[in-house]
Amino acid sequence: VSTAEVIAGTKRWHIEQGESLAWLLTLPSNSADAVICDPPYSSGGQYRGDRSSKTGNKYTLSGTEVVRPDFAGDNRDQRAFAHWCNLWLSEALRVAKSGAPIVQFSDWRQLPTTTDALQAGGWVWRGVVVWDKTGGSRPAMGRFTAQCEYALWGSKGAMPDRLEIGCLPGVFRQAVKQDDKYHQTGKPTNLMKFLAGICDPGGLILDPFCGSGSTGAGALLAGRRFLGCEVEPEYVALARERLAAEEAGMVLGAKAAEAGQLALPGETS
Ligand SMILES: C[S@@+](CC[C@H](N)C(=O)[O-])C[C@H]1O[C@@H](n2cnc3c(N)ncnc32)[C@H](O)[C@@H]1O
């Protein structure tokens, strides 16, 4: 399956192994219907020493039994993070169609920097969707629990009203389940399916930092197409395996809605 086939709509998905900015530069202008991405937040430490340590030390709670591979690009300070985001956000803007939505994850520490970067990249910032991981996550005595992550969203210029999308809620509540977590910072599949709903039905979703493929899995389940890029070979292999399994279990056409999935336009059987 090639990138061109996914863009043309004859195939559902493709994942490239490589560096995301170089990958974005190869994609045609005005070809993606949405960008949904989860770049490394570079947030897992307050100090220089924490930033440069392995991601497993930053994002894996002590006592966790499942060992997941480390990942790239999580060592920038805030200014460098903002500069770097500008580079790929500008290129993603070129690849997106006019009016296309963008959704970008952030935690509370990087929220101000990320909203600046999104707008510096040329996107119109439109709001913040809250992912409430529920009360069990990282409780701290005498403090408010940091139980949410945030999905900033916006668009490439003006956004048309799209009746077929309907009104989407601004909060998604779901605890992390270990058997649905494939990456140190893996996002729940259902969360990604929910967010894929912002893309036009059957449309193409881009994720330049696709990790274990959660955005892709959500996109397929929501009847959208998917193009992803990831630099770490272990995660590329995992993401490809996951999407192949997802696709093999997919039902087409009329039966898709019954199974909680949406069909691609033109699917009849
Ligand atoms: C926060 S994780 C994404 C996790 C993903 N949402 C999931 O659920 O599995 C960010 C990913 O971006 C990858 N990455 C970092 N810098 C990159 C770059 N310059 N090009 C491509 N991938 C990169 C990392 O290796 C990591 O897997």
Side-chain angles (χ1 to χ4, degrees), residues 18-20 38 40 71-72 183 185-187 209 211-212 214 230-232:
E19 200 287 314
S20 55
D38 182 21
F71 64 92
H183 189 285
T185 66
K187 302 295 181 284
F209 307 97
S212 65
S214 310
E230 166 60 46
V231 74
E232 296 285 359

Side-chain angles (χ1 to χ4, degrees), residues 71-211:
F71 64 92
D74 201 64
N75 44 18
R76 296 172 173 92
D77 69 14
Q78 264 173 333
R79 285 199 318 183
F81 176 75
H83 284 305
W84 174 69
C85 285
N86 289 346
L87 297 174
W88 61 262
L89 280 165
S90 308
E91 232 1 76
L93 186 80
R94 176 189 63 75
V95 177
K97 292 178 185 169
S98 171
I102 184 166
V103 179
Q104 178 178 350
F105 276 96
S106 175
D107 68 355
W108 65 271
R109 280 198 190 93
Q110 293 291 56
L111 203 53
T113 310
T114 311
T115 58
D116 287 349
L118 190 75
Q119 295 171 90
W123 295 87
V124 177
W125 177 33
R126 293 187 177 276
V128 179
V129 180
V130 175
W131 168 31
D132 174 3
K133 297 188 272 187
T134 74
S137 52
R138 297 181 191 253
M141 198 61 76
R143 299 172 187 220
F144 292 115
T145 303
Q147 72 188 62
C148 298
E149 286 185 44
Y150 307 96
L152 280 68
W153 77 281
S155 64
K156 178 170 174 174
M159 224 181 159
D161 291 336
R162 293 164 305 153
L163 296 180
E164 71 280 18
I165 302 274
C167 301
L168 303 174
V171 177
F172 187 88
R173 224 177 122 78
Q174 187 180 304
V176 173
K177 296 185 195 128
Q178 289 305 319
D179 61 358
D180 184 42
K181 183 168 171 169
Y182 302 86
H183 189 285
Q184 286 173 1
T185 66
K187 302 295 181 284
T189 309
N190 269 338
L191 168 66
M192 301 317 296
K193 180 183 173 189
F194 162 75
L195 293 174
I198 193 70
C199 176
D200 285 339
L204 173 61
I205 296 176
L206 221 61
D207 182 356
F209 307 97
C210 76

